[in-house]
Amino acid sequence: MNTLSYKTISANKETVQKDWVVVDAQGEVLGRLASQIARLIRGKHKTNFTPHVDCGDNVIVINADKVRLTGAKMTDKIYVRHTGYPGGQRFATPRLLLEKHPERIIEHAVKGMLPKNRLGRRLYTNLYVYAGGQHPHEAQQPTAVKF
């Protein structure tokens, strides 16, 4: 057996094949959807997955305002943020966020499932979330993905 013919191929910035995919969030459970989106963004579904390289796809999420939460999480779950000023801790429920900024719920869930380092911050820029059924990325000819 020729050992030189079996080389592990690592992807790099030049050799990676990045695709555009559209995910419809209508009626999907938030956490289950977010884990699948994070998998696509990270590139774990590809055969040439390399942990330290951005080899995932660009993901467009539509109908973010129609995502589901199970149980009583719509009113009981609390998102905490801080303004940066003394006494500036703010709380919001998913119901409030869906009314004001529905895309932030999916963005927050997916961001928590990505690595907490420079690569994770770079991967997060490959996520595009829209509340309605339309998106401005038709020129990229995205393929629809159903989970």
Side-chain angles (χ1 to χ4, degrees):
M1 178 166 76
N2 184 3
T3 57
L4 295 177
S5 65
Y6 296 99
K7 294 278 187 188
T8 301
I9 299 171
S10 293
N12 59 31
K13 225 185 306 186
E14 289 78 33
T15 61
V16 72
Q17 175 68 36
K18 295 179 73 69
D19 300 321
W20 284 79
V21 296
V22 173
V23 176
D24 191 359
Q26 185 166 4
E28 298 285 338
V29 178
L30 176 64
R32 295 172 186 272
L33 176 70
S35 64
Q36 294 295 325
I37 292 171
R39 190 175 136 268
L40 287 174
I41 291 174
R42 188 85 200 275
K44 288 207 161 192
H45 63 290
K46 297 188 175 184
T47 56
N48 64 344
F49 169 70
T50 309
H52 64 279
V53 176
D54 175 10
C55 55
D57 296 333
N58 294 297
V59 179
I60 304 163
V61 182
I62 56 173
N63 293 321
D65 53 345
K66 296 178 179 69
V67 74
R68 276 192 321 127
L69 277 87
T70 58
K73 291 188 203 102
M74 194 63 84
T75 55
D76 294 353
K77 182 176 175 67
I78 296 176
Y79 292 103
V80 182
R81 66 182 179 89
H82 201 282
T83 63
Y85 289 96
Q89 194 172 26
R90 301 289 184 257
F91 305 96
T93 62
R95 185 176 305 272
L96 276 169
L97 279 180
L98 276 175
E99 291 170 5
K100 293 184 178 182
H101 308 284
E103 54 280 332
R104 287 191 191 164
I105 290 182
I106 293 180
E107 289 172 353
H108 186 271
V110 172
K111 190 172 192 174
M113 296 180 185
L114 293 175
K116 278 67 172 177
N117 53 24
R118 283 180 296 189
L119 177 64
R121 290 188 294 274
R122 173 67 188 90
L123 290 171
Y124 181 66
T125 63
N126 295 334
L127 176 66
Y128 304 88
V129 184
Y130 299 100
Q134 302 296 322
H135 63 85
H137 304 284
E138 290 299 330
Q140 280 73 32
Q141 299 170 345
T143 57
V145 174
K146 182 72 178 156
F147 300 121

